Amino acid sequence: MNKLGKTFKRVLLFIILLIAYLYIGGVLVFAFDQPSRSDFIDQHPVDRFYHDGEGPDRVVLIEQRLEALLARLDLIRNAENTLDIAYYRYFNDYAGKLFFHALSEAADRGVQVRLLVDGQFVKFQDVRKAFYALTLHDNIEIHIYEPINLLLPWTIQNRLHDKFMIADQKYAMIGGRNIQYRFYAPDNHPGRITNDLDVLIINTSEQTDSSVIPQMSRYFDSLWSSSYTKPLKVKRSDLKKGKAYQDALEAFITKERRINPHFFQSAIDWLSHSYPTRRVTLIHNPIERLNKEPWIWYDLTRLVERAESSVFILSPYVVPTRKMLEYIDDIKVPSEHITFFTNSIPVNPNRFGMMGYMKRRNDLVDKGYKIYEYQGPETFHGKAFMIDERLTLIGSFNLDARSTFLSTESMVVIDSVEFAEHFKTVIENKYLNKSLLVLEDYTYGPNPIITPATMKQRELRLYKLLGIVFNWHDYMI
């Protein structure tokens, strides 16, 4: 065999071994690793979510896309002392530029800004130059959670999926939106549009101990100081890229001030839009690698088991795996009083989540649950639960194994009949009206004003075939 042939064989062998190492260390190990068991359940009874009497926190449902962007800009522009911000994805698009400029202005006013960024894509995305520009400000710090390291492939699955921000220890917002224009775009936007849900929280008391916002701050601090989190490394050449981006951003903002002044004049009276609460409580997953102990899933399943009249679940992906179902014992609510709202198969933007749902859809129907499937044309990305029309949970947690065992996640549990009633009205009027009920024979119930979303049969067959393979790895979906 000639020298070239031997070299080719060695390179091929190296590639095969590398792929095997990445697969075993980054995927297969999670099929065998068991999450730890602690005294979490004993130390965190579900009674802690309920309270008699009015609490210090008031809440606002942020559902409209434009409102969601204005709310974020408003919190940043009116911050006086501190901003702590954690999001899974940031994009250097229209919304991202407005967001980054508002942060720069806040830093110029003396606000101390801490920006937490998931490390999955940050090395390769155009948004990195925006981070370089932000580091030019003395008052802005950026930390990267679990930067990608192919030498340690199991760390690839340890993702920061939280989406929340805290301003001055008085205001906080949590939900499912990333910093990407598709979550805030108008109906006439030519690209992809995604609907989502956030809740804005206002602490109305000088005494913060009983507010949820200190809980969120402590959780942010634990993420920020985690051993998995590293400060953004910036070289001298990176600072030049940051300065160039800063100059381009100023030119963009100067133009936008003339065209869209409403983005720069926000002063929203949040209290007038808010609802009282008895108590608001933060729940979150532990910060650890490999399979996490499912803290949020513990609380969700116990609340569902304890429910007396109804359970309403909203999730863009509904993939309850066998491993997840092992944590559910006895549900008292009749199955017909348990309602799921999710994307229809053609509308679902997450193809892995879609394949997982395709496998389980009929089983959910057979159990007698009500399933409403959103028909678009937008996609739905919100994550929420409502228990007995009293507790409302909103945050970043999807109904799948990834949110249950792999990613950092957070939600707030809102004890408020008034807010739950408002939430239910909004969901019914905007989303259920664009959805179809799945019948016992797996077809849709009649609705003359809704046209079912469609997918080409060839594409559908392909995903069913791929689903056979990928569902062996449903612990990663």
Side-chain angles (χ1 to χ4, degrees):
M1 182 180 294
N2 58 34
K3 187 175 181 180
L4 182 61
K6 290 181 179 179
T7 301
F8 175 77
K9 278 195 169 184
R10 288 171 183 162
V11 170
L12 182 62
L13 178 62
F14 173 78
I15 292 173
I16 293 172
L17 291 175
L18 177 61
I19 293 173
Y21 175 68
L22 293 176
Y23 173 72
I24 293 170
V27 177
L28 195 59
V29 67
F30 291 89
F32 300 98
D33 176 66
Q34 295 298 316
S36 60
R37 288 277 188 172
S38 70
D39 60 355
F40 178 90
I41 292 178
D42 294 333
Q43 296 295 322
H44 297 83
V46 292
D47 288 340
R48 75 190 194 276
F49 299 125
Y50 298 88
H51 186 66
D52 294 325
E54 189 167 323
D57 293 330
R58 295 183 67 90
V59 291
V60 183
L61 180 64
I62 307 293
E63 184 272 321
Q64 300 288 341
R65 292 188 299 275
L66 175 60
E67 179 188 31
L69 180 55
L70 291 175
R72 284 162 171 78
L73 298 177
D74 179 78
L75 292 187
I76 295 171
R77 291 207 171 95
N78 290 287
E80 297 177 352
N81 300 305
T82 60
L83 282 166
D84 291 335
I85 300 171
Y87 281 99
Y88 172 55
R89 299 286 298 275
Y90 301 78
F91 285 76
N92 181 35
D93 55 14
Y94 185 80
K97 288 182 171 68
L98 293 173
F99 182 83
F100 297 135
H101 182 263
L103 291 180
S104 297
E105 285 191 328
D108 290 340
R109 296 194 310 271
V111 177
Q112 300 296 312
V113 179
R114 293 191 295 175
L115 196 66
L116 193 55
V117 182
D118 179 74
Q120 187 171 28
F121 300 109
V122 70
K123 272 192 177 181
F124 314 106
Q125 286 188 322
D126 183 49
V127 73
R128 195 173 181 88
K129 59 189 178 184
F131 297 148
Y132 294 152
L134 291 177
T135 60
L136 296 172
H137 295 269
D138 292 337
N139 293 330
I140 297 180
E141 293 181 86
I142 300 177
H143 280 193
I144 309 298
Y145 182 88
E146 196 72 278
I148 293 296
N149 183 352
L150 295 182
L151 295 177
L152 306 174
W154 49 91
T155 66
I156 296 173
Q157 307 300 344
N158 182 27
R159 302 276 46 97
L160 178 137
H161 195 244
D162 305 274
K163 303 146 170 60
F164 67 93
M165 58 190 296
I166 307 165
D168 293 337
Q169 297 295 306
K170 183 175 181 181
Y171 297 93
M173 184 186 298
I174 185 170
R177 290 180 172 93
N178 294 304
I179 305 302
Q180 184 180 8
Y181 190 49
R182 67 182 174 91
F183 291 95
Y184 313 102
D187 289 339
N188 60 358
H189 178 60
R192 184 171 153 198
I193 297 175
T194 302
N195 290 316
D196 214 313
L197 301 168
D198 299 299
V199 61
L200 186 141
I201 304 158
I202 311 161
N203 176 24
T204 62
S205 172
E206 295 296 329
Q207 301 296 324
T208 62
D209 291 345
S210 56
S211 168
V212 72
I213 294 179
Q215 299 174 33
M216 297 177 71
S217 292
R218 289 192 292 271
Y219 176 55
F220 182 92
D221 288 342
S222 64
L223 289 167
W224 184 263
S225 59
S226 163
S227 60
Y228 311 138
T229 304
K230 311 296 180 186
L232 175 67
K233 293 181 179 179
V234 182
K235 299 177 292 188
R236 183 174 299 177
S237 59
D238 296 331
L239 294 177
K240 292 181 179 179
K241 296 175 184 176
K243 184 61 172 67
Y245 178 86
Q246 193 177 60
D247 294 340
L249 182 62
E250 285 298 331
F252 168 81
I253 293 297
T254 299
K255 179 181 177 182
E256 286 302 312
R257 285 188 191 276
R258 296 193 305 267
I259 300 173
N260 294 302
H262 58 282
F263 285 129
F264 305 90
Q265 299 171 356
S266 56
I268 303 171
D269 180 9
W270 292 114
L271 277 176
S272 66
H273 299 282
S274 66
Y275 289 85
T277 69
R278 299 174 182 178
R279 174 173 288 169
V280 183
T281 309
L282 177 72
I283 59 176
H284 61 82
N285 278 345
I287 304 170
E288 58 189 29
R289 288 175 176 158
L290 297 177
N291 282 319
K292 297 172 171 58
E293 187 176 15
W295 288 358
I296 291 183
W297 190 239
Y298 283 162
D299 285 330
L300 289 175
T301 53
R302 287 185 297 160
L303 285 173
V304 169
E305 290 170 355
R306 178 172 173 156
E308 297 179 352
S309 59
S310 64
V311 176
F312 192 18
I313 301 169
L314 299 93
S315 179
Y317 330 119
V318 176
V319 193
T321 64
R322 180 170 53 84
K323 190 174 181 180
M324 292 168 63
L325 295 176
E326 290 173 358
Y327 291 85
I328 300 178
D329 292 325
D330 182 36
I331 299 176
K332 298 175 184 176
V333 175
S335 58
E336 62 268 22
H337 292 170
I338 298 177
T339 303
F340 289 84
F341 171 83
T342 190
N343 290 301
S344 63
I345 290 171
V347 169
N348 196 323
N350 180 337
R351 292 314 188 192
F352 293 104
M354 179 199 72
M355 288 186 285
Y357 177 57
M358 287 171 66
K359 179 181 178 181
R360 294 161 179 83
R361 180 180 185 263
N362 292 358
D363 290 339
L364 293 171
V365 174
D366 292 343
K367 291 180 184 298
Y369 303 139
K370 287 185 180 178
I371 301 179
Y372 287 90
E373 293 185 347
Y374 190 55
Q375 304 301 319
E378 313 92 0
T379 61
F380 181 79
H381 192 255
K383 308 95 167 46
F385 292 71
M386 186 167 61
I387 309 294
D388 291 337
E389 299 187 15
R390 173 174 174 175
L391 294 185
T392 308
L393 295 79
I394 297 178
S396 64
F397 185 92
N398 293 312
L399 192 62
D400 59 23
R402 178 165 291 277
S403 282
T404 301
F405 300 107
L406 297 180
S407 300
T408 68
E409 305 282 1
S410 49
M411 302 188 89
V412 288
V413 184
I414 303 165
D415 183 4
S416 171
V417 174
E418 296 90 340
F419 180 77
E421 181 180 355
H422 171 66
F423 176 83
K424 180 182 178 183
T425 299
V426 169
I427 297 302
E428 287 179 346
N429 290 343
K430 178 161 185 181
Y431 294 106
L432 294 191
N433 285 345
K434 288 186 178 180
S435 306
L436 292 173
L437 177 65
V438 182
L439 301 179
E440 293 179 359
D441 62 356
Y442 319 125
T443 63
Y444 288 131
N447 190 330
I449 64 172
I450 299 296
T451 302
T454 58
M455 177 184 288
K456 293 180 180 178
Q457 286 299 314
R458 180 176 56 187
E459 187 179 4
L460 187 61
R461 287 193 294 269
L462 173 62
Y463 282 118
K464 285 183 178 179
L465 180 63
L466 290 175
I468 297 173
V469 177
F470 283 108
N471 277 308
W472 294 342
H473 302 87
D474 62 1
Y475 55 89
M476 306 296 297
I477 294 177

